[in-house]
Amino acid sequence: NSIFIIGIHVDDATLATNDEELRKEVIAKLEDQFLVKDLGDLSHYLGMRVTKTGDVTEITQDGYVEKMVARFKMDMANPVDTPGVAGQILTKDDCPEIGTIEQEEMKTKPFRSLVGSMMYAYIGTRPDIGSTLVKVAAFCNNPGLPHWVAAKRILRYLKGTKQDPIQY
């Protein structure tokens, strides 16, 4: 009836179990083979902040979002209430023609990097941006200005809601 989960990413690992004796046994076996340091209850992992109150575990990526906002120079941007504009439809018609000034200008924008950074937030703790982010991500090969504006809007939404946790 015991549950034991090990999450490993490069040189970081986290353990979750409902059986303290099993946890001690597994840690002892890991220590026989590897340099292991038990840091106690999980508080931060892969850019996520973890807090536990009673039976509720909350995970936020507020620090990650702050770094992302700074990285994409959106520190002074005003937050928005929604990740997308109601009724907005992004299409291939919004993609610039090959060789145009708009296409050259869009090559200077870190569009793919922004989309990829927001994907990490989406996968980790922010499923609320998923439908809008997928629509924006569809244009990574040839984004136009409307796609760039839509991507930055998602970041502005994350900026304003960075403290919102996902709860388990």
Side-chain angles (χ1 to χ4, degrees):
N1 293 337
S2 296
I3 297 171
F4 197 93
I5 300 168
I6 301 176
I8 299 174
H9 179 79
V10 186
D11 63 347
D12 290 328
T14 184
L15 312 175
T17 184
N18 62 348
D19 186 332
E20 182 60 24
E21 290 304 313
L22 179 59
R23 184 187 77 78
K24 289 177 183 175
E25 181 182 332
V26 170
I27 294 240
K29 288 184 179 184
L30 287 171
E31 287 175 336
D32 288 344
Q33 299 293 317
F34 306 101
L35 177 62
V36 174
K37 186 175 182 183
D38 187 349
L39 299 175
D41 288 343
L42 186 63
S43 62
H44 288 84
Y45 190 70
L46 302 178
M48 294 178 242
R49 186 167 47 90
V50 181
T51 55
K52 185 168 171 137
T53 308
D55 288 342
V56 177
T57 300
E58 292 185 341
I59 305 173
T60 60
Q61 287 179 291
D62 50 337
Y64 177 75
V65 169
E66 286 176 14
K67 288 178 184 175
M68 189 171 30
V69 166
R71 177 178 171 203
F72 293 101
K73 298 174 179 45
M74 296 285 290
D75 309 78
M76 302 305 290
N78 293 325
V80 292
D81 293 341
T82 61
V85 176
Q88 181 182 31
I89 299 172
L90 300 172
T91 69
K92 287 178 102 177
D93 292 337
D94 298 322
C95 297
E97 294 291 325
I98 295 172
T100 62
I101 293 171
E102 182 184 357
Q103 187 186 43
E104 291 305 312
E105 182 182 334
M106 287 306 300
K107 286 181 182 178
T108 68
K109 310 285 186 205
F111 185 81
R112 286 183 183 189
S113 185
L114 175 57
V115 169
S117 296
M118 291 189 297
M119 282 284 185
Y120 183 71
Y122 162 65
I123 290 167
T125 62
R126 300 306 301 260
D128 53 330
I129 66 171
S131 62
T132 307
L133 184 56
V134 166
K135 291 172 187 171
V136 168
F139 299 97
C140 277
N141 282 337
N142 187 23
L145 194 56
H147 307 123
W148 176 242
V149 171
K152 290 194 313 183
R153 181 184 175 94
I154 299 169
L155 186 55
R156 290 171 54 210
Y157 171 74
L158 288 172
K159 179 183 179 187
T161 59
K162 65 185 174 194
Q163 299 291 338
D164 290 358
I166 191 164
Q167 294 183 340
Y168 296 97

